[in-house]
Amino acid sequence: MKKRGPIITISGIVFVIISLSIAATAIPTNITGPSDFFVSSLFEDMFDEISNEIQIMPDNSAHFSYTTYSSNVPLLWGVQIIDYQTGDELSITISNIFGDEYGTFTQNEPILFEVLQISQSDTLNLEITNLGERDVTVITVFSEDPENSESFTNPDSPVMSLVIPLMVSGILLVLGITVSIIGVIVLFVDLKNNYDNKRNY
């Protein structure tokens, strides 16, 4: 019987193992539990401003503000629910001091990132409303012109030392799973062909 199926499957499994090893190596050693997985901690050098934690009760709102200092640059902003549980939901409305709205966003995942194009220096106000049924604790983060920040241009920055390995790990994981599936298909095809050949004799 042909051995190509098992060989391909094993190759895929090896890719998956390598992927998980790279991811495990990339995660900082000071992370000991879920509470350490803060975006603000993992990517601290990437953000210009990180807010304090604020607890929001159901149907209540909290307000955050950020003043931009540049014009015609993208502003990356994000909200993280620190103690996220399934069913948590936030409504985030962004406006400036003149009442002009930049949009309303709905968040039902632990982390939400969006990019706004800021035409001129402005003060943005974020009104975050808790649409869920329990108290949640949130933080906000802001970064002006993140593509040109030192975190991305410096290959030795903490962000790049984490992002690049995780990207490679993700690619290898997808590749490994795909190769493993192909290997299993080839294995079954070879088994079927082998069975058919035996029946013909």
Side-chain angles (χ1 to χ4, degrees), residues 15 73 109 118 172:
F15 279 126
V73 296
E109 298 293 338
I118 305 300
L172 288 176

Side-chain angles (χ1 to χ4, degrees), residues 31-52:
I31 293 179
T32 58
S35 60
D36 294 321
F37 283 92
F38 292 173
V39 171
S40 57
S41 298
L42 293 177
F43 302 105
E44 182 176 3
D45 293 343
M46 175 180 169
F47 301 113
D48 299 316
E49 183 172 303
I50 300 170
S51 72
N52 294 324

Side-chain angles (χ1 to χ4, degrees), residues 113-156:
F113 280 114
E114 293 287 347
V115 175
L116 298 176
Q117 189 67 32
I118 305 300
S119 58
Q120 59 184 4
S121 180
D122 204 350
T123 297
L124 302 182
N125 298 311
L126 277 70
E127 180 182 7
I128 302 178
T129 304
N130 183 1
L131 303 180
E133 298 179 351
R134 69 181 199 94
D135 296 356
V136 295
T137 302
V138 303
I139 60 169
T140 59
V141 293
F142 302 90
S143 177
E144 291 186 50
D145 198 15
E147 294 181 357
N148 294 319
S149 70
E150 186 178 353
S151 298
F152 287 106
T153 57
N154 180 5
D156 297 324

Side-chain angles (χ1 to χ4, degrees), residues 169-182:
S169 174
I171 293 171
L172 288 176
L173 181 61
V174 172
L175 179 62
I177 293 173
T178 302
V179 170
S180 297
I181 292 173
I182 293 173

Side-chain angles (χ1 to χ4, degrees), residues 7 12-13 70 100 107 120 144-145 149 180-181 188 191:
I7 292 175
I13 294 173
S70 305
D100 301 322
Q107 177 179 351
Q120 59 184 4
E144 291 186 50
D145 198 15
S149 70
S180 297
I181 292 173
F188 279 112
L191 286 173

